[in-house]
Amino acid sequence: MSTATQDAIVLDKVNKWFGQLHVLRDVTLNVAQKEKVVVCGPSGSGKSTLIRCINRLETHQEGKIFVDGTELTDDTRALDTIRSEVGMVFQSFNLFPHLTILENCTLAPIWVRKMPKAEAEALAMEFLTRVKIPEQAKKYPGQLSGGQQQRVAIARALCMRPKIMLFDEPTSALDPEMIKEVLDTMIELAESGMTMVCVTHEMGFARQVADRVVFMDQGEVVESGTPTRMFEDPQTDRLKLFLSQILRGH
Amino acid sequence: MSTATTTHAEVARREQPPMLVAGPLAWARTNLFNSIGSSLVTLALAYFLLKFAASFIDWAFLKSVWTVPMDPATGKLDPEACRAAKGTGACWAVIWDKYRFILFGRYPFDEQWRGAVVIVLFLGLFVVSAMRRFWRKELALIWIATLAAIGMLQWGGVFGLRYVPQDEWGGLPITLILATFGLAFAFPIAVLVALGRRSTQLPAVKLLCVIYVEVIRGVPLISLLFMASVMFPLFMPAGMSPDKLLRAQVAIILFAAVYLAEVIRGGLQALPKGQYEAADALGLSYWKKTFLIILPQALRLVIPPLVNTFIGFFKDTSLVLIIGIFDLLTSGKVAVADPIWQAFSTEVYIMLGLIYFCFCFSMSRYSRGLEREFGQSVRR
């Protein structure tokens, strides 16, 4: 298997149950290197569960998941290696409140990549500058606004220099005026060539940045295609219904 | 433009609120005298409070007997003056006569200065450990050195110090030894047990921790002390009998670890799941995640119940009375059993209460300081 052309993420007939509830049904999805995929769908469709299976925050019961060529199993050491190559940004930011912004960003490089502290701090400042908040480095997360916290979360994930970035509804918990600053950061990241899988309701972002939009409903992938095709020429009734609800006023 | 101008002095004057709006008089008005009923209750309580305070001061200081003369015939103290004052005045003479026994138990009289040094060393250790600027790796060395010095002073046998067997130790040093070693060793065990109980990967470890916690929690500390003191030697090979103090110490460690473990487990549970997930998503292994992210936050969350447990266990050390170890409280009890001073236990218990209060209240104040300091970064 040549490493240059293998897909970044491969999901092969993935099934997951929460007890009796079947939340992922035969999901098959490939994400190529440098591809940007937006996953959308109504609430309860399994899109968050899907993305959390990719870095094994949730475990799948059937099917296979390959991240960067390696299969996701219960092997903890391989798992930690995979997770250090996959960055994740959460809806509720999940910054570490007992550490400063700088320490939040340098923690993983120092303790996982064994980087010396000075080098890690320089790296962190580089990414904090890239998300446009270098002056907040010595503050604590509780002192920042939501938009700033989310940008720190993005910088923290980027400090591990991941190959893939996962976004789980990154702007859903933000006030409207802060959504733009986070989306701008994500657009800049996309344009720099990062492989991204993003669960979001921001269809404007999808139109601008996504190579492919995947629509999920009740645990299965219903339709997928380019943003233009999906929004202007939806094939299935379920997608038509979803679009009518979400694009009301767009 | 308004023609009225204000000078700086005028503005400053206006910024002082009038006396009846803020300040102690205002507080009294709103809290103590805000209605007829409230005013009556305040006056009644103030009357009883002042009456009690007045009679206590009278008993404790004004009519009290501070020293009693020595009876030349028997060479013992003559407590007649105290007995005459019983009921009206305190007899502090018992303290002057017995304070060395209360503080040091049956430790040889001439060597009791060693016990005093031990107490000072403990106090120094606590004060240094409490100050955050000393929270470095060197602190562990300071602890080991101080505890070694304390052991050396208590036992003797080196540097020309007379050897004192453990049966003769007693008083405040024993209480401090049992409490300090007990909680210092119990805490790491408690952290491991709390983590073990939450383990999803190792069901055997989880089961062991659950059994340990439930069994120890199900029995009183007294029964554990009995078992340690009586049953333990039965299981040891003949001739090998760990000394009584060590047995009591181990029992206290195992008991305290369980209660601390449950407090810590509460903190681990209270931490939002997102913190665990963010640490996982960064690729942190289990132990790095636990020590860098989870424990610092979980422990800060449970400072109040942790200190509560510490204070409780400091006082629980007095239960070693049951197995005949002379801690501070036991020494006090035995001091009062002296036929001369038998009627004056109140004064001795007041003194003991004050000593315990000093230690426990200091822990309490320290905990408030800790909460204030750490609350800053934990507040979300």
Side-chain angles (χ1 to χ4, degrees), chain A residues 35 43 86 91 96 128 142 156 176 200-201 236-237:
Chain A
E35 193 180 0
S43 100
V86 177
Q91 182 176 355
F96 306 131
L128 284 174
R156 178 179 68 174
T200 185
H201 295 296
T236 56
D237 287 339

Side-chain angles (χ1 to χ4, degrees), chain B residues 248-326:
Chain B
Q249 184 74 82
V250 169
I252 289 179
I253 290 174
L254 292 177
F255 197 76
V258 158
Y259 284 82
L260 290 172
E262 286 299 280
V263 170
I264 294 170
R265 189 167 71 93
L268 293 172
Q269 270 173 213
L271 208 54
K273 202 162 151 233
Q275 292 293 306
Y276 292 88
E277 289 178 353
D280 282 336
L282 285 171
L284 287 167
S285 69
Y286 176 79
W287 290 109
K288 292 198 185 100
K289 172 177 70 173
T290 303
F291 280 103
L292 293 173
I293 309 294
I294 306 300
L295 278 182
Q297 292 186 65
L299 291 176
R300 277 166 226 220
L301 277 174
V302 294
I303 289 175
L306 265 184
V307 175
N308 201 40
T309 311
F310 273 45
I311 292 176
F313 269 97
F314 182 82
K315 295 177 291 178
D316 279 349
T317 54
S318 55
L319 289 172
V320 294
L321 156 76
I322 290 291
I323 50 176
I325 294 180
F326 272 71

Side-chain angles (χ1 to χ4, degrees), chain B residues 65-311:
Chain B
V65 177
W66 293 89
T67 54
V68 286
M70 179 110 67
D71 183 350
T74 59
K76 290 213 172 122
L77 291 176
D78 175 21
E80 250 330 294
C82 266
R83 289 220 189 95
K86 180 121 178 89
T88 47
C91 178
W92 299 119
V94 63
I95 306 287
W96 293 126
D97 184 33
K98 286 287 179 181
Y99 77 94
R100 285 179 73 144
F101 186 82
I102 296 171
L103 284 179
F104 302 112
R106 290 178 303 169
Y107 212 78
F109 200 80
D110 296 325
E111 309 289 329
Q112 278 176 358
W113 62 270
R114 283 152 60 177
V117 174
V118 162
I119 294 173
V120 168
L121 279 176
F122 266 119
L123 291 176
L125 192 63
F126 297 153
V127 167
V128 164
S129 306
M131 293 196 277
R132 208 171 169 196
R133 77 176 108 123
F134 289 109
W135 287 11
R136 285 169 290 161
K137 292 189 207 115
E138 293 78 31
L139 191 60
L141 293 171
I142 296 178
W143 268 74
I144 295 175
T146 314
L147 294 176
I150 286 169
M152 188 196 75
L153 279 167
Q154 283 283 108
W155 259 302
V158 290
F159 301 129
L161 294 170
R162 195 181 109 195
Y163 172 70
V164 178
Q166 224 173 53
D167 303 335
E168 293 178 23
W169 297 8
L172 190 53
I174 288 276
T175 297
L176 288 173
I177 288 174
L178 286 173
T180 310
F181 279 97
L183 293 167
F185 281 100
F187 193 77
I189 298 176
V191 169
L192 292 173
V193 170
L195 292 170
R197 265 194 91 151
R198 284 175 56 83
S199 167
T200 44
Q201 307 281 0
L202 300 168
V205 168
K206 181 173 172 181
L207 186 64
L208 263 171
C209 291
V210 169
I211 292 176
Y212 169 51
V213 169
E214 297 303 335
V215 165
I216 300 288
R217 262 208 307 204
V219 296
L221 178 56
I222 285 189
S223 67
L224 270 186
L225 288 170
F226 259 138
M227 277 166 47
S229 158
V230 169
M231 279 172 58
F232 213 57
L234 296 176
F235 294 120
M236 292 274 120
M240 193 175 120
S241 168
D243 55 50
K244 204 157 48 164
L245 188 63
L246 181 63
R247 280 180 253 151
Q249 184 74 82
V250 169
I252 289 179
I253 290 174
L254 292 177
F255 197 76
V258 158
Y259 284 82
L260 290 172
E262 286 299 280
V263 170
I264 294 170
R265 189 167 71 93
L268 293 172
Q269 270 173 213
L271 208 54
K273 202 162 151 233
Q275 292 293 306
Y276 292 88
E277 289 178 353
D280 282 336
L282 285 171
L284 287 167
S285 69
Y286 176 79
W287 290 109
K288 292 198 185 100
K289 172 177 70 173
T290 303
F291 280 103
L292 293 173
I293 309 294
I294 306 300
L295 278 182
Q297 292 186 65
L299 291 176
R300 277 166 226 220
L301 277 174
V302 294
I303 289 175
L306 265 184
V307 175
N308 201 40
T309 311
F310 273 45
I311 292 176

